[in-house]
Amino acid sequence: MNITKDIIYIGVNDHDVDLFEGQYIVPDGMAYNSYLVKGEKTAVMDTVDKHFRDQWLENLDKALEGAEPDYLIVQHMEPDHSANIAVFMEKYPKAVVCASKQAFNMMKNFFGTDFAERNMTVGEGSVLDLGGHVLRFVAAPMVHWPEVVMTYDETEKVFFSADAFGKFGALDAPPDPEGWACEARRYYIGIVGKFGPQVQNLLKKAAGLDISVICPLHGPVLTEDLGYYIGLYDTWSSYRSEDKGVTIAYTSVYGNTKQAAELLAERLEARGVEAHVSDLARDDMAEVVEDAFRYDRIVLATTTYAGDIFPFMKTFIDHLTERNFQNRTVAFIENGSWAPVAAKKMRTMLECCKDLTFAETTVTVTSALNEKSRAAIEALAEELASL
Ligand code: FEO
């Protein structure tokens, strides 16, 4: 598949992976993208996951049409892209591997060698002239690993963006009815979310480039309306909410906290406020983390459990804080049959977050909903709807 006249797609689709990166469900599979750039010399952009070695080598072989690859450019050392470096270097003994200094240190760790006789260190502003194609490297540390370099093809105005602008889903999966943003957002918040300032730095650099095509390492090649994708990355990486709405994330042991969460959603919707209710024990937690960053308000509802909070809620709040959750309004619903402390504990866990506004109303349920707690839910709905 030709991306441009001289750039050929040689990636693979994975429908077998159970959990991507060991934690994310991918119902539509995953794509590991790789590309061949053909100038007078040829450059391969990254490899693929180890399970697809043979298919990738076959794709590469076809795209080369009898030529030998001159360079392997390694933008990112996470194994979903780097697993086949050693195999490639053995198969093509004249090829040179180009990567950052840190990537070569990682190669020693992964493969026991940094291919010292055949390596070229590149970094911010380095240029590789293929003859007819000039590649310029852009350092992108911590998007989302430290060794990452991205690559701008000055000749065809193509930006190879490593993991940035990637999404979950194989390229041969049916089109997502919710569009690119849905699974791109879950991917971004989950995998890159912590590194907003570093993504902002990257966007500043990208703004100085004339880009016609974005070639990420996952998901579709982006060819049109690039401002839309870049705009979303700007929103996500600056921790601004993308949409107005309330995420209600709950855990419930016997259904009473669930009832409280659902009643709140109903009372919000009665006021015309969009509410998204999720069960942290049963729903995909990555999806709820995505919602927490997408919407401007969040309600955390959980039981007091062993003098603390229910484990799934603890894990959820850890997911938020480790991704620098900030700049949102937060409210609490706690349940406790004899000594409710969940709201206080949740608030303590969030104290490290910047720019959170806590709702004045906290709902306390003492075992099951009653007149008092229903009134508190009504008051919380009113308060959240007024924001
Ligand atoms: Fe797609 Fe960070 O690896």
Side-chain angles (χ1 to χ4, degrees):
M1 180 172 80
N2 270 71
I3 306 295
T4 63
K5 184 168 71 64
D6 297 331
I7 298 174
I8 301 168
Y9 183 83
I10 56 169
V12 298
N13 290 308
D14 183 354
H15 290 282
D16 300 326
V17 60
D18 63 341
L19 290 174
F20 179 68
E21 291 195 0
Q23 59 172 318
Y24 299 102
I25 58 162
V26 280
D28 289 325
M30 200 66 201
Y32 311 116
N33 297 340
S34 171
Y35 307 89
L36 179 67
V37 184
K38 283 178 157 175
E40 284 160 32
K41 294 190 171 180
T42 56
V44 177
M45 308 300 300
D46 297 286
T47 82
V48 300
D49 182 86
K50 66 181 174 190
H51 299 98
F52 297 87
R53 178 194 64 194
D54 294 348
Q55 194 186 326
W56 174 69
L57 287 172
E58 206 179 295
N59 292 351
L60 171 59
D61 192 52
K62 260 191 220 156
L64 283 167
E65 297 177 306
E68 284 275 306
D70 296 289
Y71 300 101
L72 172 62
I73 294 171
V74 174
Q75 303 185 104
H76 180 24
M77 277 302 293
E78 199 163 9
D80 51 333
H81 312 292
S82 69
N84 297 299
I85 294 174
V87 171
F88 174 95
M89 293 301 279
E90 196 182 327
K91 179 163 180 192
Y92 298 107
K94 289 186 195 151
V96 169
V97 58
C98 307
S100 68
K101 189 167 177 286
Q102 267 170 308
F104 284 118
N105 289 339
M106 291 181 184
M107 275 182 227
K108 277 193 210 157
N109 296 335
F110 277 112
F111 303 110
T113 174
D114 60 359
F115 309 95
E117 306 299 310
R118 295 191 280 146
N119 78 24
M120 183 190 291
T121 302
V122 297
E124 179 69 27
S126 304
V127 169
L128 179 63
D129 190 346
L130 299 177
H133 264 268
V134 175
L135 304 179
R136 183 178 293 276
F137 295 96
V138 176
M142 298 320 297
V143 181
H144 62 127
W145 276 26
E147 85 296 1
V148 172
V149 286
M150 299 182 185
T151 311
Y152 177 59
D153 180 334
E154 292 183 353
T155 312
E156 294 197 288
K157 304 189 190 322
V158 175
F159 188 54
F160 296 93
S161 60
D163 273 342
F165 301 100
K167 74 183 271 296
F168 295 125
L171 298 188
D172 58 356
D176 189 336
E178 293 184 71
W180 179 88
C182 182
E183 283 293 67
R185 189 190 302 103
R186 187 168 70 97
Y187 174 91
Y188 174 87
I189 301 296
I191 292 172
V192 193
K194 180 181 173 64
F195 304 107
Q198 291 85 350
V199 174
Q200 284 283 307
N201 286 340
L202 169 67
L203 293 178
K204 279 189 201 117
K205 291 186 196 180
L209 302 173
D210 180 11
I211 299 173
S212 301
V213 178
I214 297 176
C215 288
L217 286 176
H218 301 288
V221 170
L222 307 174
T223 55
E224 285 174 0
D225 202 7
L226 299 187
Y228 167 73
Y229 306 103
I230 292 168
L232 282 176
Y233 258 59
D234 185 37
T235 300
W236 299 339
S237 60
S238 55
Y239 300 96
R240 295 195 305 271
S241 56
E242 186 182 335
D243 290 306
K244 294 277 280 178
V246 181
T247 303
I248 304 176
Y250 75 85
T251 67
S252 191
V253 185
Y254 294 105
N256 292 302
T257 313
K258 177 181 180 180
Q259 247 182 8
E262 286 176 345
L263 177 61
L264 176 64
E266 186 197 303
R267 302 315 301 147
L268 284 166
E269 276 158 12
R271 289 169 168 84
V273 178
E274 202 179 307
H276 300 266
V277 184
S278 299
D279 178 345
L280 294 175
R282 292 175 180 82
D283 295 331
D284 172 24
M285 201 178 285
E287 194 82 44
V288 196
V289 173
E290 177 195 338
D291 279 352
F293 283 84
R294 176 176 184 174
Y295 298 107
D296 59 326
R297 288 154 283 176
I298 186 167
V299 178
L300 303 174
T302 197
T303 38
T304 303
Y305 189 81
D308 205 325
I309 58 178
F310 203 64
F312 292 97
M313 180 59 81
K314 213 183 245 186
T315 303
F316 179 65
I317 296 176
D318 279 340
H319 278 298
L320 299 184
T321 56
E322 76 187 22
R323 288 169 178 77
N324 288 324
F325 188 67
Q326 55 186 273
N327 197 26
R328 299 289 185 279
T329 297
V330 183
F332 303 108
I333 298 175
E334 65 178 355
N335 196 343
S337 290
W338 60 93
V341 294
K344 193 168 149 223
K345 295 277 181 184
M346 289 190 282
R347 186 164 174 155
T348 302
M349 281 188 81
L350 288 166
E351 261 163 16
C352 58
C353 297
K354 279 197 300 186
D355 300 328
L356 293 186
T357 306
F358 293 99
E360 273 177 31
T361 314
T362 291
V363 177
T364 298
V365 179
T366 44
S367 302
L369 284 174
N370 59 19
E371 207 176 312
K372 193 174 164 201
S373 48
R374 283 177 194 278
I377 286 172
E378 197 66 40
L380 180 57
E382 185 61 31
E383 185 181 346
L384 290 173
S386 72
L387 300 175

